[in-house]
Amino acid sequence: MTENNPTAPESLDSLSYEEAREQLVAVVGRLEAGGASLEESLALWERGEALAKRCEDWLEGARKRLATARDASSDGGAPASGSPTA
């Protein structure tokens, strides 16, 4: 997928969060600019929805990893980073 064609098919699974977000911003920009045919607008919308879902999945995975790390550090007996000691 190139920046010039955000609707070109590409496996979303291979995109990093930053790549998916960058492509989503490009899709939104093209939709906001107008001038696209109805068919192209629908394809852009669908691609944007898929990219947004990819970003949400990445963020949810990051939240889970942070929660796991936080739980592991608090289970180890040492206070979590930034936690006040009693």
Side-chain angles (χ1 to χ4, degrees):
M1 165 108 60
T2 64
E3 218 175 289
N4 295 335
N5 189 3
T7 61
E10 179 179 321
S11 172
L12 294 177
D13 294 338
S14 67
L15 295 177
S16 69
Y17 171 80
E18 291 79 9
E19 291 167 332
R21 185 179 179 283
E22 182 178 306
Q23 288 183 22
L24 179 56
V25 168
V27 166
V28 169
R30 288 192 52 197
L31 285 169
E32 288 178 341
S37 68
L38 177 59
E39 186 174 329
E40 184 181 5
S41 293
L42 286 172
L44 284 166
W45 180 270
E46 290 170 352
R47 179 68 178 176
E49 287 286 327
L51 289 165
K53 171 89 169 78
R54 178 65 176 156
C55 290
E56 288 174 13
D57 291 346
W58 265 103
L59 292 174
E60 184 59 31
R63 283 185 199 101
K64 287 178 181 177
R65 288 190 304 273
L66 287 171
T68 299
R70 198 175 9 228
D71 292 345
S73 70
S74 64
D75 289 344
S81 178
S83 296
T85 56

